[in-house]
Amino acid sequence: MSGVYARQTRRIAVLTATAALATTGLLATAPAAQASPPAPVSAATARTYLGQLTVAAEGSSTGYSRDKFPHWITQSGACNTREVVLKRDGTNVVQDSSCAAVSGSWFSEYDGATWTAAADVDIDHMVPLSEAWKSGANSWTTAQRQAFANDLTRPQLIAVTDNVNQAKGDQDPAEWLPSRTSYRCMYARMWVDVKHYYNLKVDSAEKSALQGILNGC
């Protein structure tokens, strides 16, 4: 009798473990609730990168034009950069034959809002184009500025609430930060990652604000 009981106990344990593994497998293979831009460097690496950036007064906006940063360029087929980011950052996004998002939902990391119309979503340049111009991009070629404005490899593009993006404008982290305080560490890591990759300068107030955020990560 005890042998039967032992076998039953082992069988129950195996079934329980199998069920647990199956559940884990389902969780592991299920799509993420919210996609996101490429992961930035860690806070520790961002602090190192920040220390390597050239500190200088912000340059002039003279000569700046968004047209000098061509976007949104075609990425593949009928899809341009904006449409690629909408698909990447959204959930259950359906696109038509022209690659326009006709349905889906988008969670805006900056303010915590969720939208179900692509028209309510802007693609934010983490480091704004005007900010880049005043930080060194004024000396780049048009091809370099185009690559920056359409960069899908680094955490430079993110889908967010349109009016929040417009309120940010070309302000740096000393002047504007996401209202969601829980996202500010990520925001600072992304900002520094992009500026470091493109060898853009920071002004002293910007650097101080970023240091404060990263030291708290």
Side-chain angles (χ1 to χ4, degrees):
M1 186 70 177
S2 59
V4 172
Y5 178 78
R7 286 194 297 274
Q8 289 176 331
T9 301
R10 284 196 298 272
R11 183 170 181 274
I12 291 169
V14 169
L15 289 172
T16 301
T18 301
L21 286 171
T23 302
T24 302
L26 287 171
L27 290 172
T29 57
Q34 173 60 34
S36 59
V41 294
S42 67
T45 299
R47 287 192 288 270
T48 299
Y49 280 6
L50 182 59
Q52 296 170 351
L53 295 178
T54 298
V55 180
E58 193 168 84
S60 170
S61 60
T62 300
Y64 168 72
S65 166
R66 288 179 67 84
D67 293 340
K68 293 185 177 180
F69 293 79
H71 66 289
W72 305 110
I73 64 170
T74 299
Q75 292 291 341
S76 64
C79 301
N80 67 27
T81 308
R82 170 181 163 83
E83 290 149 353
V84 170
V85 177
L86 284 173
K87 176 72 171 179
R88 181 197 69 189
D89 289 5
T91 301
N92 299 323
V93 177
V94 175
Q95 297 171 308
D96 64 18
S97 58
S98 299
C99 206
V102 294
S103 65
S105 64
W106 293 268
F107 176 77
S108 172
E109 295 284 7
Y110 290 179
D111 59 336
T114 297
W115 303 96
T116 55
D120 292 321
V121 179
D122 274 359
I123 307 305
D124 179 41
H125 288 97
M126 172 56 55
V127 175
L129 305 182
S130 175
E131 164 68 20
W133 177 269
K134 294 178 286 187
S135 303
N138 60 320
S139 66
W140 294 353
T141 64
T142 299
Q144 288 173 313
R145 289 193 286 264
Q146 176 176 292
F148 174 82
N150 297 274
D151 191 349
L152 295 168
T153 304
R154 277 147 290 277
Q156 164 65 347
L157 301 173
I158 182 172
V160 296
T161 303
D162 56 359
N163 61 352
V164 172
N165 179 49
Q166 291 151 24
K168 171 184 171 179
D170 66 352
Q171 299 178 93
D172 68 36
E175 303 160 322
W176 187 92
L177 288 168
S179 60
R180 284 183 72 224
T181 55
S182 61
Y183 196 70
R184 290 181 180 178
C185 178
M186 177 67 76
Y187 187 85
R189 288 164 53 199
M190 293 166 76
W191 183 282
V192 172
D193 196 354
V194 172
K195 278 221 161 178
H196 183 268
Y197 180 83
Y198 286 99
N199 196 29
L200 293 169
K201 300 171 184 176
V202 290
D203 63 46
S204 56
E206 176 188 353
K207 181 175 182 178
S208 178
L210 289 164
Q211 282 177 326
I213 298 167
L214 292 171
N215 287 340
C217 290

